[in-house]
Amino acid sequence: MTSPAPVGLAHPWAEPPAPGEMIEVAEGILWARLPLPMALDHVNVYALDDGDGWTLIDTGLNWPKGLTQVEALLAGPLSSKPVTRVVMTHAHPDHLGLLGWFAARGAQVIASRAAWVLGRMLVLDRQEVHPPESVTFRQRAGLTGPDLDAFAQEKPFNFADCVAPIPQGYLRLREGEIFRAGGRDWHVRLGEGHAIEHITLWTKEIVIAGDQILPGISPNIGVYPTEPEANPLAGWLETCRRFQELGVDPLVLPGHKLPFRGMAFRLGLLIDNHLHAFDRIEAALDRPKTAVDLMSAIFHREIRRSDFGLALVEAVAHMNYLHQAGRVTRTLSQKGAWEYRRSA
């Protein structure tokens, strides 16, 4: 019989490692923090001691300050042996930015198939202007007039701006496999919702969670123009419940913030966060509204301009979930936006 998870979260380390330094969080597992040039100003990476080399979990972003910190780690706490393998937990720039940089220096790339394919595709797909599908996507979400025109004129974000070229060859990790690293056998479990085929690695005592389980912040669950009818929240909720039902209380090593205990409690909060948002959306539908109209109800706060892009894709995710669950209906307005109503 497993012990019940503690109520609340416990953080064994009150502070992260300093730049260029690492903290041993378990025998053979070192934790470092790399900088990011955004509001969420850091990403965690972990080095697993394989005896003759290191397996690195994630790499940070490909930008000068991040690369300087990586080189400081290689010249300092990781200097005793080479980085021979790099695991990409998921295909987001802050986690795979330097994957190709390490591969060019001899490291083997390890990833899930869908994440590797997506990451490589996005690095190769450079856009100088927003394609029509991106503009239509925002229009369907409820962006109109000068705001939509301004978006159409913006230079798009390109993965290649902050992600090194990803090599052709990689080693695939599948759901249910055993991955040997750092003197341990890790059970591979793939998550969905935040990112496609997100790798998490599990022992009885430790989980390397990437962004699938974060303390303090809720991972962004977004829909994008590449798949406008996607329902990532269904996969997210299913993954959270599946992990919660495992009934274990490991040390969780997340992609951001501090390592923690209390996984089942945290997963419950992550689930409830979206269930409560669904209720707020339905309560706010006193008249037909777009996803943009419903942002304040979804997030329970006003959205700052700097947060608008991430808020929009998550708002669409909530509306796709409710629409596909039959809890709301939608019609296309004369302005080309989906307007939602409560189902009868």
Side-chain angles (χ1 to χ4, degrees), residues 81-93:
K81 61 194 77 173
V83 173
T84 54
R85 303 188 297 179
V86 180
V87 176
M88 179 180 84
T89 60
H90 62 292
H92 287 172

Side-chain angles (χ1 to χ4, degrees), residues 290-313:
T290 68
V292 170
D293 293 335
L294 290 162
M295 280 186 182
S296 59
I298 293 169
F299 299 103
H300 218 36
R301 59 181 174 84
E302 292 300 318
I303 302 301
R304 297 174 299 181
R305 186 176 184 84
S306 60
D307 297 332
F308 183 83
L310 289 176
L312 182 139
V313 297

Side-chain angles (χ1 to χ4, degrees), residues 185 187 202-206 248-251:
D185 288 332
H187 292 263
W202 298 64
T203 71
K204 290 182 179 179
E205 296 81 21
I206 303 168
V248 295
D249 180 31
L251 172 66

Side-chain angles (χ1 to χ4, degrees), residues 194-212:
H194 176 67
I196 190 169
E197 288 192 357
H198 186 307
I199 287 174
T200 61
L201 300 174
W202 298 64
T203 71
K204 290 182 179 179
E205 296 81 21
I206 303 168
V207 171
I208 299 176
D211 285 0
Q212 195 70 44

Side-chain angles (χ1 to χ4, degrees), residues 46-50 53-57 82-87 110 179-182:
Y46 302 94
L48 280 56
D49 188 349
D50 292 328
W54 299 103
T55 293
L56 191 65
I57 310 295
V83 173
T84 54
R85 303 188 297 179
V86 180
V87 176
I110 301 173
F179 175 63
R180 182 73 180 177

